[in-house]
Amino acid sequence: MTEPRKPSRISDEGVAEGFLPADGVLLFEDPATTSKIPDLDRPAFGKIAAKAHPGDTLTVSELFRLCRDLLDINAVRNWCQARGVALRVLSGPLSNVHDLAAGDATTAVIINVITAVGQLQRDIQNELTVEGITAAEAEGRSRCRPPALDGDRREDVRAAFHRCLYGVRDPARGRCGSGA
C-alpha cells in the first residue's frame, strides 16, 4: 500500500480569502500574460507536469486562461491523454464536459468547434485592432499617448536635459539650468 501524496501549495495568490483546498489539491498560478510562449513551455506548466500523476485531474478556471489557441488546447489535451490526467474547466462553454482530455470522438468534436469559434473571435479582434490603427494613422493620429508638453516647452525640457547630460550647469542655481 502506498502512502497518499502530501499536498503542497505552490501559490495561493488570487484564491478567494478563506478558501482552503481539499486534501491533495495543489494550486498553481501562472502570472504570464503573453500568448507568445506555448503552454507546455511555460514555467508554471512545468510545475504542474512535475506534480501530475495518472488519475489526477487538472482543473482550470476557464480553458482560455490555460490555453491561448486551438494548437495549445490540443497540445495540452495530448499531454493530459499521454499521462492519464483528466482536464476540467470550471467556467465557460466547455465547463459541462467532464473530461476535456477524453479521447472519444464526441469530446474531440465539441472541443474543436468551440475552440475554433474562440480562435475566430480572437482573429476578428486582432483584425479590428489593425484596422483601427491603420485608420488612425491615415488620419494623422498616433498610436502613442499624446505628449504632455507642447512643442516649445518640450524642446526647452530636451535642451535642459542635454545640458545636464553633458555637464553644463547653471551657475546661478548651482545645478543643471533650464536655459532661461
Side-chain angles (χ1 to χ4, degrees):
M1 187 162 121
T2 62
E3 286 186 34
R5 288 179 284 144
K6 293 182 180 177
S8 64
R9 191 176 233 169
I10 301 302
S11 170
D12 59 6
E13 279 185 42
V15 176
E17 186 176 335
F19 173 80
L20 295 174
D23 287 340
V25 173
L26 305 177
L27 300 178
F28 297 89
E29 179 185 29
D30 185 359
T33 58
T34 181
S35 60
K36 307 283 187 227
I37 303 171
D39 297 320
L40 299 179
D41 296 338
R42 297 177 107 148
F45 200 89
K47 292 176 184 176
I48 292 170
K51 298 283 184 176
H53 298 283
D56 285 350
T57 300
L58 172 58
T59 304
V60 295
S61 58
E62 58 181 313
L63 190 60
F64 290 106
R65 305 296 297 158
L66 173 66
C67 306
R68 303 297 189 228
D69 57 25
L70 185 58
L71 291 175
D72 277 341
I73 290 169
N74 284 325
V76 170
R77 283 188 72 230
N78 291 339
W79 181 91
C80 288
Q81 288 172 352
R83 285 156 185 80
V85 174
L87 177 60
R88 179 109 169 101
V89 296
L90 300 177
S91 65
L94 294 170
S95 61
N96 60 351
V97 178
H98 180 68
D99 178 11
L100 296 175
D104 63 287
T106 304
T107 301
V109 167
I110 290 170
I111 290 171
N112 284 328
V113 168
I114 290 177
T115 55
V117 170
Q119 184 66 44
L120 175 66
Q121 181 181 4
R122 287 177 59 97
D123 292 345
I124 290 172
Q125 183 177 8
N126 290 339
E127 289 173 11
L128 292 173
T129 300
V130 169
E131 287 175 10
I133 291 168
T134 303
E137 288 173 347
E139 294 173 5
R141 291 183 285 143
S142 172
R143 290 174 37 182
C144 302
R145 181 179 66 173
L149 303 172
D150 65 11
D152 291 340
R153 183 68 182 134
R154 187 170 48 245
E155 290 309 315
D156 290 345
V157 170
R158 261 194 202 132
F161 174 76
H162 286 289
R163 281 192 300 279
C164 288
L165 186 65
Y166 298 113
V168 178
R169 295 193 164 281
D170 180 352
R173 295 183 181 168
R175 57 185 169 88
C176 295
S178 65

